[in-house]
Amino acid sequence: MKLLILNGPNLNLLGVREPEVYGRQTFQDYFEILVSTFHNVDLHYFQSNHEGELIDKIHEVGFSFDGIIINAGAFTHSSVAIADAISAVKTPVVEVHISNIHAREAFRHHSYLASRCVGSIVGLGLNGYRLGVEYFLLKNN
Ligand code: CA2
């Protein structure tokens, strides 16, 4: 099974800035744990701070991969273009947020992506990504 974890803007700073909100682990370290936990899954990772690059990646894998786990960062709350890209591809997408966006500022409560995704996992820290992988494993077995 082939899965992509797709992270959006500023998520390259995980573990480096604002540890009280986003934790102390870098995503690269966390991704390596995921790869060794799910050795039967072909896990890929891509991060970009650029909306168009995230859309290009969705197009690139969206007809061949079994699932995409996306944390679009702040684009979640602004990007109709990423929402449209999710609708345009065949691969199912799960939305993840590390923090509980519903317990934060009002502008974070709405996700343009949520209605285009099979589901959303929010507020469970980095464990949300792991749960996303588990979902695709259960779905494909
Ligand atoms: O909780 C999440 O996963 C978010 O997608 C994170 C985004 C935020 O804009 C969304 O509302 C919720 C922000 C990502 C910024 O990540 C940082 C990591 C470390 C230091 C600073 C920012």
Coordinates of all heavy atoms in Angstrom, one line a residue, residues 100-105 109:
N100 N -5.9 21.2 18.1 CA -7.4 21.2 18.0 C -7.8 22.5 17.4 O -8.0 23.5 18.2 CB -8.0 20.9 19.4 CG -9.6 20.8 19.2 OD1 -10.1 21.1 18.2 ND2 -10.2 20.5 20.3
I101 N -8.0 22.5 16.1 CA -8.3 23.8 15.5 C -9.6 24.4 16.0 O -9.8 25.6 15.9 CB -8.4 23.7 13.9 CG1 -9.3 22.5 13.5 CG2 -7.0 23.4 13.4 CD1 -9.5 22.4 12.0
H102 N -10.5 23.6 16.5 CA -11.8 24.1 17.0 C -11.7 24.8 18.4 O -12.6 25.5 18.9 CB -12.8 23.0 17.1 CG -13.0 22.3 15.8 ND1 -13.5 23.0 14.7 CD2 -12.6 21.1 15.3 CE1 -13.5 22.2 13.6 NE2 -12.9 21.1 14.0
A103 N -10.5 24.6 19.1 CA -10.3 25.2 20.4 C -9.4 26.4 20.2 O -9.0 27.0 21.2 CB -9.7 24.2 21.3
R104 N -9.1 26.8 19.0 CA -8.2 27.9 18.7 C -9.0 29.1 18.2 O -10.2 29.2 18.3 CB -7.1 27.5 17.8 CG -6.3 26.3 18.4 CD -5.1 25.9 17.6 NE -4.1 27.0 17.6 CZ -3.0 27.0 16.8 NH1 -2.8 25.9 16.0 NH2 -2.2 28.0 16.8
E105 N -8.3 30.1 17.5 CA -9.0 31.3 17.0 C -10.1 30.9 16.0 O -10.0 29.9 15.3 CB -8.0 32.2 16.3 CG -6.8 32.6 17.1 CD -5.6 31.7 16.8 OE1 -5.8 30.4 16.8 OE2 -4.5 32.2 16.8
H109 N -11.4 27.6 12.7 CA -12.5 26.6 12.9 C -13.0 26.0 11.6 O -13.6 24.9 11.5 CB -13.7 27.2 13.7 CG -13.3 27.6 15.0 ND1 -14.2 28.2 15.9 CD2 -12.2 27.6 15.7 CE1 -13.6 28.5 17.1 NE2 -12.4 28.1 17.0

